[in-house]
Structure formats: structure tokens, C-alpha cells
Amino acid sequence: MRLPNHVLACVNGLEAAGFQGWAVGGCVRDACLGLTPQDYDLCTNALPDEIRQVFSGYDLVLAGKKHGTVGVITGGGVVEITTFRREGEYRDNRHPDWVEFLPEIEGDLARRDFTVNAMAWSPTRGFADPFGGRQDLENRILRAVGEPARRFEEDSLRILRGVRFAVRYRLTVDDATRQAMTAQAQLMENLARERVFDELCKLLPLVEAGDLLRFAPILAAVIPELAPMIGFDQHSPHHAYDLYTHTAQVCAGVSGRLALRWAGLLHDVGKIPTFTRDESGRGHFYGHAQASAGMAEEILRRLKAPTALRDEVVFLIDKHMTKIEPEKKAVRRAMVRMGQERLETLLCLQEADMGSKGTGKPAELEQFSQIRGLIRMIREEDACLSLKDLAVNGRDLMALGLRGKEIGTCLDRLLELVVDEVLPNEKEALLDAAKEMTTEGANG
């Protein structure tokens, strides 16, 4: 394992002062997998005040000092150095009641979550791997350190982190760890919603449909609205999958863009409250898009999602059943109403939705390539798609005597006529039409 120069300088500084310096955790795991670590954390037998003394020539970050962590600001970034420690009970499932500093690294590794994260490496001492993390990586196994239930009682966010590690590194969760993750998933109710949201945002871009299925009980523990969808028979000839399996297919079927992944996950949560069956037994979900949008907004507010992300997800879900004909005029109208980027994002969700029913490849899927072709054609034509593209503006209409809201109303109508190809986007033609509208309004 090779350490970047700024990290190696910190290790060497500790060693030169008579202390141990180890790279620990995720950077060691990633290096063992042949990946380039993004962050490097160090641990040491030096106490926090001793770390401060060793690096007295550096600017330091001391916010975590009482828990043993000192940040050293180097030319390559902040390197966090933490004293070997063990921890007391986690009565809030997040913070230890107390921290005790230790002289040896083995005790520090014993407090970590999974064996693949409980490894350390020193340029002078080699690997410290008391729990078999390297072997588990070779076997593609995710295993909790020690007793799984205790690890998740200490910090229940480790359950979601375990899902992310399993998905990201394609690991199989060993039986004891998996059973504890599922059995203790309810502990995540005690977590700050922001921590849950942040972990889900790291997870969703990585998942395949099978991941969402194998970890369904855990995801349903943090988003309870998903629970009734699991195994729900839609009683529809258009759907071979149960509702949650269809959802998993859609979520994994869109691009990794975060708003699309959230929209895919939540686009049908409103099907449960809107479900009815007719006399033949066929299922219907009238108004489910709007119901799903409302529920998605509540879920994302609860999780403290940023407003911009929440608004985009809600828009996509609300419009995901909107039919857009593969005709130039209809596509141009949609581009005006939504904007090109939002329209293309919506098409991605709709295409995944239509293609994830398990009933074969619907002929309707062809319309999406047709619509995308029309979007390209319209853009190449430099078509008028917004008020700023119109050959007239508010000052021109003021010169005709229009005032206040009349101007906006008239501009909107002119844009509509241009988009529908009733009028050319030429100043003289638009002013003539505006004069007619003004005359009609006065006579009316």
C-alpha cells in the first residue's frame, strides 16, 4: 500500500516522535481492492495533546479532540488522526457514552463496524487485521466485527452503511450479520433524519434491482411507505411483477442521477391508497401519480431533503403518467411547459416505468426514441420555446398601449401561437396579432 506524500508525512511525524502511525479503515479496504482511496484516516497511540505537540507547526482542527481526533491541515488536505480507543454504551444509538484511550491498535479495531473496515496498515509494521478483513474481501463477504447485534445497537446507521458496502463492493452479507441487520432495523427510527437521507443518497445511485429486493425490509424500515408495496399484487394484465418489484426495476432502470433514482423509488407509493378493483377483479389506481407526488413530498420533507431535489422529484412523479405524443407540435409544447432538461428527465422515468412491467417489451417504448429525435430537430431549428425567444418583448407591447398584466397575458398568447405554428416568430406578424388581441379585448 502506498500513501500520498502528505499522509506519509503525518505517519512519519508520529513515528519520529516515538508513536505509532497507522492508516486505518476505508483507505486500507479500498487499497486491498485495488481502488484509489479518496480519504485517508490515521490512528495512533499518541494522546490528543501529544498529537497537537507533534504537529504544532501545522494548523489544526480540534472539534473532535474530546473523542480523540485531531485534524492536521496539510498541503494535500486535512488528515484526521485519532487516538486508539474503545467506547462505552451507545444509549442514543449514535454517540458513545464515554471514550477510553488505548495503548494498542487491536482494541481500537475491535470497536469498528465490519471486518473489511477493521484493518490498518503501517509502512513499518505492515498489516493489522485481527478479524480477517482481507480474507472476507477475497471471499466477497460482509461480516460485522464481533457480535453483530452489539455493533448495530452502538450505531444503527451501520445497518444502512452495511447495505451500501454490500452494494458498492458486491459483497454477500454473512447470515449472522444479515439477520441482525434485519432484526434491528427498527433502531434506525432513533437516527437523525439527515443522517438517514445522506446515507440513502449515497446508496441509491449504486443499486441494481436485486439490491433493492434483497434489502427491502431495511429500506422499508427507514421509508415505511414502501412496506405495504412488498409483494403487493397489482391485479393488472399490464404488470407481471408485484408493486415493489416493479418499483425496484424502475429505480434501477433510470440513470444514476439522484433525482431520478428518488423518483423511481417513490413514483408508485400512491398506488396503495388509490387501489380499487372492478367487478372483473382487475386492479385500478386512479389518480395514483398525484397521490404518489404528495406522499413523496411528505417523505422527502421528513428526511430533510434539499428543496431543489424535493421539488424536482415531486414534479417527475406528478407528471410520470402524462402522455406525450411523438408529434412535433406536442413535443414543442412540452418543451415550452417543462423546459428541455426536465422533459428529457421525465422521458427517462417514463421509459423505465413502461419497460419494467415484466410483460415483455411494449411497442410503446419506440415512442421515446421518436420524441428524443423530435427534441433534437426542434433544437436544431432554433425554435422559439420561451418568452425570451419571441421577436417582440414587453417594451414593444407597451408601445401599443398595453399595461401591467395585459403585457404578460399577451406575450403568453403570442408564444402559444408561435409554438403551434399559427404565427411566424416575426416582429411585424406578432405586433399585428397583438393589436388584434388588444382591439378584441377593448370591444369585448
Side-chain angles (χ1 to χ4, degrees):
M1 180 176 178
R2 293 189 60 183
L3 299 176
N5 289 337
H6 69 286
V7 178
L8 183 60
C10 291
V11 172
N12 291 340
L14 290 166
E15 296 284 347
F19 301 108
Q20 298 177 31
W22 298 80
V24 67
C27 63
V28 181
R29 175 200 64 224
D30 287 355
C32 288
L33 288 169
L35 305 173
T36 301
Q38 300 301 307
D39 298 297
Y40 291 83
D41 293 323
L42 303 182
C43 60
T44 180
N45 58 339
L47 297 173
D49 284 336
E50 292 170 328
I51 299 173
R52 290 181 63 184
Q53 186 174 357
V54 170
F55 296 99
S56 59
Y58 292 77
D59 290 330
L60 303 175
V61 179
L62 302 175
K65 179 174 175 287
K66 76 172 185 177
H67 291 113
T69 299
V70 174
V72 179
I73 301 176
T74 74
V78 177
V79 179
E80 290 193 343
I81 305 174
T82 302
T83 306
F84 302 152
R85 70 190 192 194
R86 71 183 184 95
E87 299 164 341
E89 297 294 323
Y90 282 67
R91 282 182 291 185
D92 63 356
N93 302 118
R94 180 179 178 185
H95 299 104
D97 293 346
W98 50 264
V99 169
E100 178 185 359
F101 299 132
L102 302 174
E104 301 297 336
I105 193 170
E106 287 75 15
D108 183 85
L109 296 177
R111 71 178 174 83
R112 296 175 184 266
D113 50 8
F114 301 99
T115 62
V116 297
N117 296 330
M119 300 182 289
W121 181 81
S122 160
T124 58
R125 296 173 179 81
F127 271 97
D129 183 20
F131 303 102
R134 277 187 293 179
Q135 187 65 50
D136 281 346
L137 278 180
E138 289 176 12
N139 295 331
R140 286 295 196 260
I141 296 294
L142 185 73
R143 187 191 316 276
V145 171
E147 183 183 348
R150 179 169 174 78
R151 294 288 80 79
F152 303 133
E153 287 170 359
E154 290 170 346
D155 184 353
S156 55
L157 190 67
R158 288 172 169 172
I159 298 171
L160 269 184
R161 281 168 51 84
V163 172
R164 175 163 58 89
F165 292 140
V167 169
R168 180 178 179 184
Y169 300 110
R170 310 319 303 172
L171 305 177
T172 299
V173 184
D174 90 296
D175 287 343
T177 301
R178 178 180 52 79
Q179 290 170 10
M181 288 169 69
T182 303
Q184 295 182 285
Q186 77 281 353
L187 292 177
M188 291 187 288
E189 295 175 2
N190 299 324
L191 292 169
R193 297 296 91 187
E194 296 91 339
R195 296 184 78 206
V196 173
F197 175 74
D198 182 62
E199 197 60 51
L200 288 171
C201 287
K202 293 175 183 176
L203 170 65
L204 284 180
L206 305 173
V207 294
E208 298 175 0
D211 301 319
L212 293 170
L213 294 173
R214 67 174 168 148
F215 295 115
I218 292 172
L219 293 172
V222 290
I223 305 178
E225 290 85 350
L226 297 177
M229 299 168 64
I230 300 170
F232 185 88
D233 186 343
Q234 301 190 68
H235 296 281
S236 170
H238 302 299
H239 285 276
Y241 297 134
D242 69 79
L243 182 54
Y244 184 80
T245 300
H246 166 71
T247 293
Q249 296 284 341
V250 175
C251 184
V254 297
S255 75
R257 182 178 172 184
L258 194 55
L260 267 171
R261 287 294 171 117
W262 274 107
L265 183 68
L266 302 177
H267 80 285
D268 273 352
V269 290
K271 276 192 168 182
I272 297 295
T274 59
F275 175 64
T276 59
R277 295 178 71 181
D278 61 25
E279 293 178 356
S280 70
R282 180 173 173 175
H284 299 280
F285 306 93
Y286 299 118
H288 83 270
Q290 289 67 47
S292 297
M295 291 175 67
E297 180 161 20
E298 291 177 11
I299 291 166
L300 292 172
R301 283 186 183 278
R302 185 172 72 227
L303 291 172
K304 308 298 178 63
T307 301
L309 175 67
R310 185 183 72 236
D311 289 348
E312 184 172 7
V313 172
V314 170
F315 169 84
L316 291 171
I317 295 174
D318 183 65
K319 302 299 183 187
H320 84 270
M321 295 297 292
T322 300
K323 176 70 173 174
I324 301 168
E325 296 293 340
E327 299 171 354
K328 190 175 180 181
K329 186 179 292 186
V331 172
R332 193 163 45 227
R333 285 175 179 168
M335 292 174 71
V336 171
R337 288 197 313 273
M338 303 178 193
Q340 180 181 344
E341 184 177 350
R342 265 197 167 179
L343 174 58
E344 291 180 330
T345 305
L346 178 62
L347 291 174
C348 184
L349 177 61
Q350 291 181 326
E351 187 173 25
D353 189 22
M354 187 172 291
S356 299
K357 298 181 179 181
T359 55
K361 187 176 180 180
E364 294 90 340
L365 284 174
E366 296 177 5
Q367 70 181 335
F368 293 102
S369 61
Q370 295 170 3
I371 294 172
R372 292 185 178 103
L374 289 168
I375 291 173
R376 288 193 297 271
M377 180 189 301
I378 292 167
R379 293 307 306 174
E380 288 169 2
E381 292 174 350
D382 197 24
C384 177
L385 299 173
S386 66
L387 293 178
K388 66 181 178 58
D389 298 326
L390 274 177
V392 297
N393 57 36
R395 289 189 298 274
D396 297 319
L397 299 187
M398 288 178 66
L400 296 180
L402 276 70
R403 295 291 182 270
K405 292 182 179 180
E406 293 176 331
I407 295 174
T409 301
C410 186
L411 286 172
D412 289 339
R413 179 59 181 152
L414 291 175
L415 177 61
E416 183 181 323
L417 292 171
V418 171
V419 169
D420 288 345
E421 297 184 335
V422 175
L423 287 176
N425 188 26
E426 298 171 359
K427 187 168 185 176
E428 185 176 350
L430 295 176
L431 289 176
D432 286 344
K435 291 174 185 175
E436 278 189 37
M437 288 183 227
T438 304
T439 302
E440 290 172 2
N443 293 337

